[in-house]
Amino acid sequence: MEEPSIKYGLIFNNFSQKIKDMRVGSIKQTGIKKIAKPVLLLALIKGIEDGVFKHNWFEYEKLASIYEAVFKKYADISKQTEYTPLYYPFFHLHTSDFWNLCLKTPHSDRFPSTISVGWIRNNVEYAYIDPKLWDMLQHKVYRNRLAEFIVEEKIKTATARSHTFLRLFLNWLVAI
């Protein structure tokens, strides 16, 4: 039951808009949008659902196996022929204001130009999300609603938005 002092509907609207606006990369050969960041969020939701994550901190290794299974689940739907390793979205999602990295050396805020699993393991203690998002995800209804939103908005549309004739034509022109 929704607590009157916490407006989960407003929190849902806020974070679903942030997720909708979240930038994702494209596969160079096809222009298909990568699903790595949305899959990472779905893996996080699954980890909460399964009781793996009981607190608002997500260690890379605990998230890795969940992410891989979720990626495989949605790869066919989104026409992803290449697997994107977790370290890419785990790191790059920090550009969204709801995903944060807790560095092992807090005063070191310099990020590398090229990310690797080694850099993550050596420099990141864990990731955490905005406390309001964490609170909302503790409620099954909103957790499921957000997962459905991510699948509809970011997974199922990964190919629909990227296969425009104009984009393919422009890529062809650039190649010439």
Side-chain angles (χ1 to χ4, degrees):
M1 191 64 131
E2 183 170 315
E3 299 173 27
S5 63
I6 301 175
K7 308 255 189 252
Y8 290 115
L10 292 174
I11 295 168
F12 173 83
N13 290 340
N14 179 37
F15 286 104
S16 61
Q17 186 62 49
K18 289 179 182 202
I19 291 167
K20 183 176 183 178
D21 295 341
M22 179 176 62
R23 292 186 51 162
V24 294
S26 297
I27 299 170
K28 289 179 183 165
Q29 297 85 349
T30 62
I32 294 173
K33 296 289 184 185
K34 292 184 180 182
I35 61 168
K37 287 180 183 177
V39 164
L40 171 55
L41 296 174
L42 291 171
L44 174 66
I45 291 170
K46 180 164 178 35
I48 292 169
E49 183 79 26
D50 294 348
V52 174
F53 303 119
K54 298 179 193 288
H55 303 284
N56 187 5
W57 67 76
F58 319 108
E59 295 166 340
Y60 181 85
E61 299 302 330
K62 285 185 180 178
L63 201 49
S65 61
I66 302 169
Y67 171 84
E68 188 173 332
V70 174
F71 195 97
K72 286 178 184 175
K73 178 179 178 180
Y74 291 106
D76 287 340
I77 294 170
S78 61
K79 308 292 186 232
Q80 301 288 296
T81 55
E82 2 176 307
Y83 173 74
T84 303
L86 173 61
Y87 58 87
Y88 286 112
F90 190 89
F91 174 77
H92 289 294
L93 196 55
H94 86 273
T95 60
S96 301
D97 68 353
F98 57 86
W99 180 264
N100 303 285
L101 299 175
C102 180
L103 300 177
K104 291 181 179 178
T105 308
H107 302 293
S108 172
D109 58 355
R110 300 181 70 191
F111 290 129
S113 56
T114 305
I115 193 65
S116 68
V117 69
W119 188 89
I120 296 286
R121 288 181 177 143
N122 292 330
N123 294 284
V124 178
E125 198 161 336
Y126 58 87
Y128 62 98
I129 56 176
D130 183 288
K132 289 180 183 176
L133 178 57
W134 171 257
D135 289 342
M136 185 191 78
L137 291 176
Q138 301 315 297
H139 297 274
K140 185 176 181 134
V141 170
Y142 287 100
R143 191 169 53 237
N144 290 342
R145 195 170 157 200
L146 191 62
E148 289 170 13
F149 175 84
I150 293 168
V151 170
E152 292 300 318
E153 184 63 34
K154 292 294 198 179
I155 304 289
K156 289 184 176 178
T157 62
T159 58
R161 290 188 186 151
S162 55
H163 270 293
T164 64
F165 175 77
L166 181 59
R167 174 181 224 134
L168 293 172
F169 179 71
L170 291 174
N171 286 341
W172 177 76
L173 281 176
V174 170
I176 293 178

